[in-house]
Amino acid sequence: MLTEYMENTKPIKECTKEEIFKELLNFTKEQLTLRGEIENKKKMYYFSSEFLIGKLLINNLINLGIYDKINDELTEIGLQLTDFENFENEPSLGNGGLGRLASCFLDSVATLNLCGDGVGLNYHFGLFKQKFEKNMQKEYKNEWIENDSWLEKTDKKYTVKFKDFSLCSRMYDIKIIGYKGNCNRLHLFDVDTVDESIVIDGIEFDKSEIEKNLTLFLYPDDSDKEGKKLRIYQQYFMVSCGAQLIIEEALKKGSNLHNLKEYAVVQINDTHPTMIIPELIYQLRKNGINKTESIDIVASMCAYTNHTILSEALEKWPSSYLKEIVPHIYEIIVELDEYVKEKYNDESVYIIDENDTVHMAALDIHCTFSVNGVARLHTDILTNSELKNFAKIYPNKFNNKTNGITFRRWLVKANPRLTKLISHYIGDDFIVNYEKLADFGRYINDTHVLDMLLKIKAENKLELQEYILKNEKINLMPEGIYDVQIKRLHEYKRQQLNLLYVIDKYLKIKSGKIPHRPINFIFGAKAAPAYVLAKDIIHAILCIQSIINNDDEANKYIKIAMVENYNVTYAERIIPACDVSEQISLASKEASGTGNMKLMLNGAITLGTLDGANVEMAQYVGNDNIYIFGRKSDEVIEILSEKSYNPIDYYNKNKRMKSAVDFLVSDQMLKVGNRTNLENLYKNIKEKDNFMTLLDFEDYCDVKDKVFYDYENRLDWARKMLVNIVNARYFSSDASINNYNKEIWKL
Ligand SMILES: *Cc1c(COP(=O)(O)O)cnc(C)c1O
């Protein structure tokens, strides 16, 4: 196919790799345009400030169903598709799990042939590109947009009204193709006036010139007033464009707007797009719909997904900022708040509190018809504690939709070897029919299949070793265990707990107790640029990495690899090679996790707390196939409410723990690190430890030692792998989207 396509230009044999890549891109884009658009009277609009989509060439070829054909053609000239991955930049439109979820969902919506588009912003420099300098994270702009990227510039423009000025938007589209199916779209709004040259040093820029800076970065630093206001500008811009698009499309299909909910349903991904609610009300009123009806219409077509119980992550904006930026929207929020205050005599459910702060989540909960959490435990905590006063008012609004991941990217693309093995035994139906994966469970006692699982894991580990050697100049020990913790850096995710274990192991080796098998500790994480303690944890990991990897006595037995700029591309490499999946949040704090699901699907065994979707994973695989440690969520919630936890008690009681913590500020560390940062982390762990690392340290070490011990029974381990792979079927995003559609969208 490709060879024929290229006959018009230059024979493929005479082309450079770069030229072939260009042709491959154009060819794939043409194939996408040949596919139909998914159409329906009612459309779902998925509003999200992030879409962490990953590279698209290979994914699109897989979903077009022509990956093998094209790859075979390339093989004839001694190349393969994976040789071209490096030519493509990864779009930098997301940050972590929430953005990746949005992308998995778009893939599943299209694959299930449901009519649904994404709505977001086209950030020119994305979140940021992470580099390590002097063992510290440094942030740089991530220039991902190329001339021939997947973005399609459209002629669609809307006027977005702010208090003192208006901006004209421009819509870009990325096609989202379902597996062997048709296309939906991801709409990314931008302004033509953005000026990339105002970014001077790293990620610094003048925050005041909105028409120049609006879509430069995802999550610009909001530790100052200007930054907060910029986020409000971004959020309103996104939802206003989206609202105008919704109304335009509905009108075109014949809606009289009174019946808008028959044409559109909006899923609000976390609180960032919350202003879609007042904006839709505003737009409907502009179109002649009266006050109460406009509110009723909007509440009947919007649904909200909550992603966190961390109070600092639930957005709150000072009224004064909204008044200053979008007074016409603020007015509607006040009106909605007055309805609430009239009806309910309970301050905890007010939209605007006594300090004149607007609670975006409260706005969502009152003015939508569905509020969902993202894992069973998370939804239970929302309804029973965090949001219980809301749940009392709206018992039927709250529901659970456990997160999921798309098999197309996280198995077919990321792990072709495992995909081939499974397909050999049960056919390839499981790629779209997740229940079919259960059939692979029949081979639980087939030693050949179990051996193959181990062999594939070993091959993937070799591949990752090469990749990390090339990219990080760190040489992993592939005969050793790959212990992996990859996720955003946050105190609640407790990378520091893993780090203390590593230090403990190192100290043991130095005292002559060597592990029976080498262990590779692999980390990947970005910290928010203004999150000081998170960056100090990265600093400490990098310092330990430098100490251990350069210590010839220790580096035969343990090695650390903290990879730079962890993103989807990196995840696709690391996940298939992982033996032990670290999911060690403080119980109750991780809403769901999706990294846990991807790793499980690829035959990693989870070491985790009973938190988020780990709880459901444990129920599916059974206690023999997962390693659980630490306090349970209800115990944690109780300790937190009593404010009784004091880390120093644990530190003083346990010598092993004390030595590991003290090592953070040892001479060895200070030699490679920065005193201020290391002392800050050290003091924080000893004196505050907000996410109770020391509380779970002992149990963590014991269970982790057991994991490494059990790893030696290779056949038993392979059986655990198989059980995990088979039960990952429950975490297909196709299953999640089926539930969203059945219970919320009703497309
Ligand atoms: C899946 C994914 C995440 C989410 O990981 P969690 O462990 O669920 O927090 C974050 N970043 C990337 C690049 C991912 O692919």
Side-chain angles (χ1 to χ4, degrees):
M1 297 172 91
L2 179 66
T3 326
E4 284 160 38
Y5 176 82
M6 286 180 65
E7 261 160 21
N8 313 328
T9 50
K10 194 160 136 186
I12 193 165
K13 286 196 180 94
E14 293 166 27
C15 291
T16 64
K17 253 172 141 180
E18 191 122 32
E19 286 169 331
I20 299 176
F21 173 69
K22 293 261 143 74
E23 293 299 317
L24 252 173
L25 262 185
N26 292 333
F27 167 78
T28 310
K29 285 178 187 172
E30 190 182 284
Q31 292 295 312
L32 288 175
T33 57
L34 298 176
R35 296 298 165 104
E37 307 254 329
I38 301 174
E39 284 173 45
N40 193 40
K41 177 177 170 192
K42 184 173 176 183
K43 184 189 271 191
M44 186 279 295
Y45 296 85
Y46 199 87
F47 277 69
S48 179
S49 59
E50 318 178 21
F51 291 90
L52 193 56
I53 46 193
K55 294 184 182 185
L56 287 171
L57 177 65
I58 290 182
N59 196 257
N60 283 341
L61 288 169
I62 289 171
N63 280 13
L64 282 161
I66 56 176
Y67 178 91
D68 289 332
K69 265 193 214 146
I70 302 298
N71 203 38
D72 289 347
E73 286 183 47
L74 290 170
T75 316
E76 278 176 31
I77 53 167
L79 292 169
Q80 51 187 72
L81 269 167
T82 46
D83 297 338
F84 296 94
E85 276 231 282
N86 284 340
F87 289 95
E88 185 181 349
N89 286 341
E90 177 177 326
S92 184
L93 295 168
N95 160 43
L98 177 140
R100 185 53 234 174
L101 182 79
S103 294
C104 283
F105 278 5
L106 291 187
D107 180 272
S108 285
V109 168
T111 294
L112 294 170
N113 204 35
L114 298 170
C115 181
D117 288 345
V119 178
L121 291 181
N122 188 37
Y123 311 102
H124 292 224
F125 297 142
L127 186 67
F128 62 85
K129 183 178 260 168
Q130 179 193 55
K131 290 196 178 164
F132 297 146
E133 292 169 14
K134 297 191 179 141
N135 292 332
M136 304 269 212
Q137 167 177 297
K138 285 279 173 310
E139 302 91 17
Y140 293 93
K141 59 186 178 185
N142 192 344
E143 295 174 271
W144 66 275
I145 301 175
E146 300 158 285
N147 288 332
D148 51 6
S149 78
W150 296 93
L151 290 169
E152 295 171 12
K153 188 173 181 174
T154 76
D155 293 331
K156 210 168 271 288
K157 295 176 176 186
Y158 299 108
T159 302
V160 177
K161 177 182 142 165
F162 298 103
K163 177 166 182 256
D164 299 320
F165 61 96
S166 293
L167 285 179
C168 178
S169 71
R170 157 94 59 196
M171 189 169 89
Y172 291 83
D173 278 354
I174 293 179
K175 287 211 179 79
I176 306 292
I177 178 173
Y179 185 71
K180 298 187 178 172
N182 293 329
C183 292
N184 285 320
R185 280 159 187 274
L186 169 55
H187 303 296
L188 298 170
F189 290 96
D190 203 347
V191 278
D192 289 348
T193 51
V194 162
D195 182 356
E196 298 186 353
S197 72
I198 68 170
V199 179
I200 33 171
D201 178 30
I203 54 171
E204 293 294 312
F205 62 95
D206 177 1
K207 293 216 184 85
S208 63
E209 293 182 286
I210 300 302
E211 76 280 6
K212 292 189 182 175
N213 67 24
L214 185 75
T215 51
L216 286 174
F217 286 100
L218 164 64
Y219 301 142
D221 177 13
D222 68 345
S223 47
D224 60 6
K225 188 176 169 190
E226 292 296 303
K228 284 196 179 65
K229 288 202 285 190
L230 175 53
R231 289 210 191 181
I232 295 174
Y233 276 108
Q234 287 187 327
Q235 294 183 354
Y236 181 65
F237 179 78
M238 170 172 90
V239 301
S240 179
C241 293
Q244 294 181 64
L245 176 74
I246 289 172
I247 288 178
E248 187 181 296
E249 292 192 334
L251 287 172
K252 214 165 144 192
K253 283 190 233 173
S255 168
N256 59 16
L257 297 189
H258 297 282
N259 58 4
L260 185 60
K261 73 165 187 191
E262 293 167 28
Y263 292 83
V265 56
V266 171
Q267 192 67 43
I268 301 172
N269 194 28
D270 213 343
T271 52
H272 319 103
T274 299
M275 279 187 281
I276 185 64
I277 294 166
E279 173 65 6
L280 273 171
I281 293 173
Y282 174 77
Q283 294 289 344
L284 285 175
R285 288 177 185 179
K286 245 174 74 176
N287 279 278
I289 298 206
N290 76 30
K291 274 198 164 183
T292 47
E293 199 199 350
S294 60
I295 296 173
D296 291 344
I297 293 172
V298 173
S300 71
M301 59 179 278
C302 290
Y304 160 61
T305 302
N306 175 288
H307 284 271
T308 181
I309 60 161
L310 293 178
S311 57
E312 74 266 23
L314 287 173
E315 288 182 301
K316 303 182 253 307
W317 299 122
S319 288
S320 60
Y321 294 2
L322 292 171
K323 244 182 273 183
E324 196 183 319
I325 297 168
V326 282
H328 56 297
I329 292 304
Y330 180 66
E331 215 173 276
I332 294 174
I333 295 175
V334 170
E335 189 188 321
L336 296 169
D337 182 53
E338 279 165 2
Y339 278 113
V340 170
K341 284 177 175 155
E342 249 166 57
K343 233 170 143 180
Y344 308 106
N345 188 16
D346 174 0
E347 281 179 23
S348 69
V349 302
Y350 291 174
I351 298 173
I352 305 177
D353 69 16
E354 76 274 17
N355 302 318
D356 232 3
T357 302
V358 181
H359 293 245
M360 303 313 267
L363 178 51
D364 286 307
I365 300 169
H366 287 296
C367 305
T368 55
F369 68 91
S370 161
V371 176
N372 75 281
V374 288
R376 275 206 302 260
L377 176 68
H378 170 59
T379 303
D380 286 346
I381 293 174
L382 288 181
T383 50
N384 298 331
S385 53
E386 290 300 310
L387 301 174
K388 73 165 184 275
N389 293 339
F390 289 98
K392 266 191 227 146
I393 305 178
Y394 305 114
N396 299 325
K397 228 185 240 194
F398 283 77
N399 64 92
N400 177 246
K401 297 285 167 286
T402 299
N403 283 167
I405 53 164
T406 168
F407 286 9
R408 273 73 66 187
R409 184 174 288 272
W410 297 111
L411 188 58
V412 180
K413 172 170 191 300
N415 201 341
R417 292 189 180 96
L418 183 56
T419 306
K420 203 171 150 202
L421 179 78
I422 299 172
S423 305
H424 175 78
Y425 284 94
I426 65 167
D428 63 5
D429 245 22
F430 68 92
I431 295 170
V432 276
N433 221 331
Y434 54 89
E435 288 110 338
K436 283 269 161 62
L437 195 48
D439 294 349
F440 194 52
R442 286 202 297 263
Y443 299 91
I444 185 76
N445 291 316
D446 185 320
T447 47
H448 178 67
V449 171
L450 297 174
D451 279 342
M452 285 302 291
L453 285 179
L454 295 176
K455 185 161 167 272
I456 286 167
K457 186 62 81 181
E459 287 168 358
N460 291 340
K461 284 165 74 169
L462 271 177
E463 234 172 59
L464 182 64
Q465 179 209 10
E466 276 172 37
Y467 191 78
I468 287 186
L469 182 59
K470 195 166 137 236
N471 287 279
E472 319 291 337
K473 312 282 176 291
I474 295 171
N475 197 5
L476 297 180
M477 301 172 286
E479 73 283 13
I481 296 167
Y482 282 19
D483 178 279
V484 169
Q485 190 175 20
I486 42 173
K487 46 184 75 255
R488 278 295 308 283
L489 210 136
H490 201 292
E491 288 166 85
Y492 82 79
K493 292 180 183 268
R494 301 206 290 191
Q495 281 92 350
Q496 65 275 33
L497 178 54
N498 193 353
L499 179 66
L500 289 175
Y501 179 91
V502 176
I503 295 174
D504 179 61
K505 204 80 257 139
Y506 176 62
L507 296 176
K508 278 212 184 97
I509 292 170
K510 296 305 274 184
S511 72
K513 275 179 82 178
I514 60 168
H516 53 269
R517 184 192 287 269
I519 310 165
N520 304 276
F521 297 96
I522 299 164
F523 292 88
K526 287 180 179 175
Y531 190 169
V532 175
L533 199 66
K535 288 169 89 167
D536 291 344
I537 294 172
I538 290 184
H539 179 56
I541 297 173
L542 291 172
C543 290
I544 303 279
Q545 170 179 292
S546 137
I547 291 171
I548 292 178
N549 293 1
N550 290 309
D551 182 333
D552 289 338
E553 221 171 67
N555 66 21
K556 297 193 284 271
Y557 308 113
I558 50 174
K559 222 165 243 164
I560 322 287
M562 169 116 201
V563 306
E564 210 172 47
N565 202 42
Y566 173 61
N567 58 9
V568 174
T569 310
Y570 234 128
E572 288 167 3
R573 302 266 178 176
I574 296 173
I575 287 169
C578 168
D579 293 309
V580 180
S581 161
E582 298 274 349
Q583 307 298 335
I584 61 176
S585 59
L586 173 63
S588 79
K589 297 295 178 187
E590 181 68 271
S592 163
T594 50
N596 47 1
M597 302 166 181
K598 301 168 198 165
L599 286 152
M600 177 193 195
L601 178 63
N602 282 274
I605 310 302
T606 302
L607 167 57
T609 42
L610 267 185
D611 201 14
N614 295 354
V615 178
E616 287 153 77
M617 285 166 52
Q619 281 165 358
Y620 290 127
V621 300
N623 289 338
D624 291 344
N625 300 298
I626 188 166
Y627 294 85
I628 298 294
F629 75 96
R631 300 303 153 104
K632 315 275 182 285
S633 56
D634 40 4
E635 298 171 82
V636 170
I637 290 169
E638 195 176 316
I639 296 171
L640 285 174
S641 73
E642 289 170 348
K643 298 189 170 46
S644 59
Y645 175 66
N646 192 354
I648 202 82
D649 300 341
Y650 293 85
Y651 169 87
N652 285 329
K653 260 195 315 220
N654 184 325
K655 260 175 73 182
R656 184 178 175 190
M657 184 192 305
K658 184 172 181 306
S659 311
V661 175
D662 288 347
F663 190 82
L664 289 171
V665 287
S666 61
D667 291 344
Q668 246 180 310
M669 286 289 277
L670 293 170
K671 222 168 114 190
V672 292
N674 182 313
R675 180 180 290 272
T676 320
N677 302 87
L678 293 172
E679 279 181 352
N680 183 42
L681 175 61
Y682 173 72
K683 283 211 185 96
N684 186 287
I685 291 181
K686 265 175 72 174
E687 291 163 20
K688 293 203 181 84
D689 194 19
N690 290 334
F691 296 88
M692 302 196 263
T693 314
L694 300 190
L695 177 71
D696 284 339
F697 177 81
E698 209 174 320
D699 197 18
Y700 178 61
C701 292
D702 292 347
V703 176
K704 192 158 171 165
D705 286 341
K706 170 96 164 68
V707 175
F708 293 154
Y709 177 82
D710 288 355
Y711 182 88
E712 295 309 316
N713 189 339
R714 299 307 291 141
L715 207 60
D716 232 40
W717 186 270
R719 236 177 252 124
K720 294 183 206 293
M721 290 171 68
L722 188 134
V723 171
N724 273 276
I725 294 165
V726 166
N727 283 287
R729 69 186 184 279
Y730 296 107
F731 301 105
S732 162
S733 45
D734 298 349
S736 312
I737 290 302
N738 264 328
N739 290 333
Y740 273 92
N741 189 42
K742 258 194 250 147
E743 292 161 27
I744 304 176
W745 306 333
K746 304 188 160 89
L747 299 173

